[in-house]
Structure formats: structure tokens, C-alpha cells
Amino acid sequence: TRQKELICVALSVAARCQYCIASHVNKAVSLGATRDEILEAGFVAVSMGGGPSLSYLTELIEACDEFGAR
């Protein structure tokens, strides 16, 4: 389940959906995902989605901070 949430995090960044990012980061953190794992998922999404996805890493970092990803 944790791995699936990390995949959803990546898909949320690739889809450029701030609400999806927040929701899936929250769920991933609750399942024990680390900040590094969440950011790695985001970086994978950027490698596939390019510049438009890159701008959503800010949303990803803010969600990590908000939901206490360590």
C-alpha cells in the first residue's frame, strides 16, 4: 500500500494536481513513507513530465512539511 501511494504521489506531480499531491503525500506519510522516498517519487515524475511538472515540486515539498514527512 505504501508503494502504491508513492506511485500516486508521482502521478499527482505528473498530473500537476495540487490537491492530489496533498492527499497522496498525507496518505504516504501515514503509511510510513519517508521524505526522501516522497521526493524521489516527485523527481521521477519530473523526469517524465518535464518543466510543467517541475513547478509542482514546490507543492510536494510544502505537503511534506505540512504532513510531517521525515
Side-chain angles (χ1 to χ4, degrees):
T1 304
R2 185 175 64 81
Q3 291 296 327
K4 287 181 183 180
E5 277 307 315
L6 289 168
I7 292 168
C8 288
V9 167
L11 291 171
S12 297
V13 172
R16 302 179 299 275
C17 176
Q18 68 184 30
Y19 303 109
C20 301
I21 291 168
S23 174
H24 289 295
V25 167
N26 186 24
K27 180 76 176 200
V29 169
S30 74
L31 292 169
T34 66
R35 184 181 187 91
D36 285 345
E37 290 172 324
I38 293 167
L39 293 177
E40 180 67 23
F43 295 144
V44 169
V46 169
S47 73
M48 298 304 293
S53 296
L54 178 63
S55 65
Y56 280 80
L57 283 184
T58 302
E59 300 286 339
L60 185 66
I61 292 167
E62 288 175 2
C64 284
D65 292 342
E66 181 176 344
F67 298 114
R70 299 177 188 251

